[in-house]
């Protein structure tokens, strides 16, 4: 079993707040495809990183995750690319971790 996590930004690359309907659409899509989804949306996480120029960048993100039996890399690559377009991002982080259900 794997936990797939998506870090969805609250603001696009121009600094405009992402419309709530985009998050609702992602939740609906993932629930329909995988049968469930968890979204940590009440207290956004803050991501900090250093860009190529040495400047510290910041993103406020909502963490969305699903549990899957198998990671279909091609499907997730296509979905990530779709998220990048919809959320107007250079990159959306999507990661998968092997987990054990207890």
């Amino acid at each position: 079993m794997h936990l797939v996590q998506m870090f969805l930004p609250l603001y696009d690359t121009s600094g405009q707040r992402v419309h709530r309907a985009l998050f609702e659409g992602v939740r609906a899509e993932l629930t329909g495809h995988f049968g469930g989804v968890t979204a940590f949306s009440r207290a956004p996480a803050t991501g900090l990183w250093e860009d190529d120029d040495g400047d510290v960048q910041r993103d406020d993100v909502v963490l969305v995750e699903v549990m899957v039996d198998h990671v279909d890399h091609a499907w997730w690559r296509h979905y990530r690319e779709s998220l990048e377009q919809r959320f107007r991002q250079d990159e959306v982080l999507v990661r998968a971790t092997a987990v054990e259900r207890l």
Side-chain angles (χ1 to χ4, degrees), residues 7-94:
F7 294 78
L8 302 179
L10 294 181
Y11 299 92
D12 66 19
T13 54
S14 69
Q16 298 296 312
R17 187 159 179 91
V18 172
H19 195 275
R20 182 180 197 98
L22 285 176
F23 295 100
E24 292 168 1
V26 168
R27 285 193 295 267
E29 290 166 358
L30 295 173
T31 299
H33 193 81
F34 296 104
V37 65
T38 301
F40 299 91
S41 56
R42 287 205 167 257
T46 300
L48 301 171
W49 73 96
E50 190 174 307
D51 66 17
D52 294 338
D53 296 325
D55 296 324
V56 175
Q57 301 295 321
R58 172 191 169 129
D59 260 339
D60 292 324
V61 297
V62 170
L63 178 62
V64 178
E65 59 187 30
V66 295
M67 300 282 287
V68 299
D69 289 323
H70 169 73
V71 177
D72 181 340
H73 292 271
W75 189 92
W76 281 106
R77 182 180 60 254
H78 179 265
Y79 195 69
R80 177 186 48 79
E81 291 168 352
S82 168
L83 293 173
E84 290 167 349
Q85 290 177 353
R86 287 188 266 172
F87 284 81
R88 293 184 292 188
Q89 297 294 305
D90 296 328
E91 182 180 3
V92 169
L93 176 60
V94 178

